[in-house]
Amino acid sequence: MKFFKKSRYILPFVLTLSLASCDNFLEVEPRQAIVDDQTIVDGVTAETAVRGLYGALASTNYYGTTFQSIGYFQGDNIQWTGSQSIVAQFINHNVTADNASVAGTWAAIYQTINRANQIIEKVPAVTDATFTQEKKNQLLGEAYFVRALAYFDLARTWGGVQLVLTPTKELTDNEGIRRSSVTETYAQVLKDLTEAEKLLPETTNRYRATKKTAWALLARYYLYQKDWVQAESYASKLVDDAANYKLVKPYSAFFANNARGTEESIFEIYYSPTSTNTHRNSWQPPANGGTRQWAPNDALVSLVNDPTVGGNRNALVAKTTQGLWYGNMYYRSPATDPTFVIRIAELFLIRAEARAQLNKLPEALADLNAVRERAELTTSPAVTQPEVLLAIENERRVEFAFEPHRWYDLIRTGRVAEVLGVTDANKYVLPIPIDQLNADKALEQNPGY
């Protein structure tokens, strides 16, 4: 991948401790480094490599902060209170190819992919007698799942991208790969998720991928593909597993009072006092040790504080003594707040939308109303199919106010022009970073940039 050439950074798993970002939750001492010719030589180094994979997923430029901010700022819930022009570009839907956030996120996602590729290539060849096939399958399944998530995020953010499926070890590795179409990119997502589903155990783990985590991402994948039957089917696997997943009450119970790993979570990312989540700093006001550079806008404050819309989801916001509203999902000090990648509420609303599209309106309303009931709201008054779909869209806006769904929701439903006034379809994806284009002439820019 060009990022590695551009920065002269090769990722042959010299894991000198970007691994540390997730080792704490696994409660196993990390190896301080693994040199290239010793990478993944036994069960211990394979496990360490997988920890490094989750560390890449948790990094500041990926699910730690920057990737999420791209979803926030392009939607209609969040305002930027700072002055950096690179952030204003997202809000104004006028992003340029030299935007540092775009470059950082692209590089972080491909770093994550490269770590997955290392595992996928090397784990099958390990001959460690103590490294069972069952354990091999688990670690491989986790790598396929994370690679699927990474390509899913690339596809919905940039469209078709280069499919790099082997490790980058030398500066010239993977040079000259042309971009795949968006259809081909999503096909790779499905291929990886199908492989993950085969390999992973059917257990419940809220911090590492299992078969159930793959099912959840498959439900999201099929929602984006408008395959309503499959979206309903995969969402049902999680929604119907009430012994392990449920809408915890009240709404704030999955994040308030230092909660983590509740029954709400299907997949969340763990942070520790020695490896913090940089998200918190941007949300909290100076009085709480933050910068409040991101804040709920007036429209969202009105929605969450409306008892007929927000219900008990008004816990998402708080107000300073000076009267400034701020987001309160990320609040811990030290900043150990989890990043919530997939919650059971999303699966309820995926199934509701799929059922509404299949004209199963009573069943769709039942799922929608389950989410509303947890928020202490009355049942939805929607009756017709268009009304039910709009009600689901509006529910998703508030339910996931501080999770990066809104922009992508409006793009995939074709509603972005009507709701946000963004009529230039070229702006529905981001530009390829200029440093990537300069590093590899085979890489083509998105139209309009």
Side-chain angles (χ1 to χ4, degrees):
M1 197 59 225
K2 280 71 50 210
F3 166 75
F4 305 107
K5 296 181 294 181
K6 182 69 177 177
S7 64
R8 312 298 294 177
Y9 175 55
I10 308 171
L11 191 65
F13 266 77
V14 184
L15 300 178
T16 37
L17 280 182
S18 55
L19 288 187
S21 60
C22 65
D23 280 332
N24 295 284
F25 82 76
L26 295 170
E27 298 178 352
V28 177
E29 279 298 310
R31 297 203 172 192
Q32 292 303 306
I34 303 175
V35 297
D36 189 27
D37 61 357
Q38 294 180 330
T39 303
I40 313 183
V41 296
D42 55 22
V44 173
T45 51
E47 180 71 35
T48 303
V50 171
R51 294 192 188 112
L53 177 62
Y54 286 107
L57 195 66
S59 67
T60 296
N61 277 331
Y62 198 3
Y63 273 96
T65 301
T66 312
F67 172 72
Q68 295 207 82
S69 74
I70 288 173
Y72 295 148
F73 291 131
Q74 295 187 104
D76 52 1
N77 284 337
I78 310 302
Q79 61 175 312
W80 167 252
T81 67
S83 59
Q84 294 179 359
S85 60
I86 63 171
V87 176
Q89 288 178 12
F90 294 106
I91 295 171
N92 297 328
H93 303 285
N94 190 29
V95 182
T96 59
D98 61 353
N99 184 291
S101 294
V102 172
T105 301
W106 174 282
I109 296 177
Y110 271 108
Q111 283 181 0
T112 304
I113 289 169
N114 198 52
R115 292 191 179 188
N117 288 342
Q118 292 278 356
I119 295 162
I120 291 166
E121 179 181 87
K122 295 183 177 181
V123 163
V126 174
T127 57
D128 180 359
T130 65
F131 192 26
T132 66
Q133 189 61 50
E134 181 181 21
K135 188 64 175 179
K136 279 187 180 182
N137 288 347
Q138 178 199 328
L139 300 186
L140 282 169
E142 290 180 84
Y144 279 112
F145 170 82
V146 172
R147 192 170 75 176
L149 177 60
Y151 275 118
F152 182 87
D153 290 337
L154 285 169
R156 62 179 175 160
T157 305
W158 281 277
V161 297
Q162 295 157 308
L163 297 178
V164 180
L165 305 177
T166 57
T168 300
K169 304 169 187 176
E170 304 294 338
L171 294 178
T172 55
D173 285 355
N174 298 312
E175 184 175 355
I177 298 175
R178 300 188 69 83
R179 293 179 64 182
S180 296
S181 68
V182 66
T183 299
E184 291 165 337
T185 304
Y186 274 123
Q188 183 62 47
V189 173
L190 180 58
K191 184 176 180 180
D192 282 349
L193 282 176
T194 301
E195 195 65 25
E197 184 182 15
K198 293 176 186 174
L199 293 167
L200 288 167
E202 191 175 332
T203 55
T204 302
N205 189 321
R206 307 187 197 280
Y207 304 111
R208 295 181 63 162
T210 71
K211 195 183 298 288
K212 295 178 182 181
T213 325
W215 289 341
L217 188 54
L218 278 162
R220 185 191 287 179
Y221 165 85
Y222 283 118
L223 182 78
Y224 275 64
Q225 299 306 306
K226 297 180 170 53
D227 186 334
W228 313 121
V229 172
Q230 291 280 40
E232 179 188 21
S233 175
Y234 275 101
S236 293
K237 291 177 181 290
L238 283 300
V239 173
D240 294 346
D241 186 4
N244 293 296
Y245 305 103
K246 61 184 63 174
L247 296 164
V248 296
K249 297 180 180 180
Y251 172 81
S252 63
F254 73 89
F255 68 88
N257 301 313
N258 296 313
R260 67 172 81 248
T262 70
E263 292 170 305
E264 178 84 19
S265 276
I266 297 170
F267 183 47
E268 67 182 59
I269 298 175
Y270 188 103
Y271 295 86
S272 75
T274 57
S275 180
T276 55
N277 186 345
T278 54
H279 227 54
R280 177 217 189 267
N281 182 64
S282 296
W283 284 108
Q284 290 294 311
N288 295 343
T291 61
R292 193 185 167 270
Q293 295 183 85
W294 307 347
N297 60 24
D298 291 344
L300 181 63
V301 168
S302 295
L303 287 172
V304 296
N305 285 321
D306 183 338
T308 68
V309 177
N312 60 19
R313 291 178 295 208
N314 59 2
L316 284 168
V317 300
K319 188 162 61 172
T320 68
T321 55
Q322 291 76 35
L324 296 175
W325 289 98
Y326 61 93
N328 208 32
M329 179 180 265
Y330 296 91
Y331 59 88
R332 303 174 206 212
S333 185
T336 59
D337 308 271
T339 291
F340 302 101
V341 182
I342 310 176
R343 293 194 286 116
I344 192 62
E346 181 185 352
L347 277 297
F348 270 93
L349 293 176
I350 286 174
R351 193 169 74 170
E353 187 172 339
R355 287 174 163 178
Q357 292 286 0
L358 293 168
N359 213 30
K360 298 179 179 180
L361 299 184
E363 295 91 339
L365 284 166
D367 286 334
L368 171 62
N369 287 328
V371 175
R372 290 177 59 83
E373 190 273 332
R374 190 266 292 274
E376 298 180 349
L377 299 173
T378 59
T379 57
S380 172
V383 176
T384 66
Q385 185 186 53
E387 289 172 347
V388 173
L389 288 169
L390 182 58
I392 293 166
E393 176 187 299
N394 291 335
E395 204 67 37
R396 288 180 65 97
R397 178 183 181 181
V398 179
E399 177 69 25
F400 308 121
F402 298 154
E403 296 159 83
H405 290 284
R406 178 64 170 170
W407 168 252
Y408 297 112
D409 283 345
L410 294 175
I411 294 295
R412 67 176 177 79
T413 59
R415 294 257 301 145
V416 67
E418 181 177 351
V419 176
L420 300 183
V422 182
T423 57
D424 183 354
N426 290 328
K427 304 302 182 183
Y428 298 170
V429 292
L430 293 181
I432 306 299
I434 190 66
D435 60 338
Q436 304 298 323
L437 295 170
N438 290 337
D440 191 342
K441 299 307 179 183
L443 185 58
E444 298 177 356
Q445 183 57 279
N446 275 323
Y449 291 102

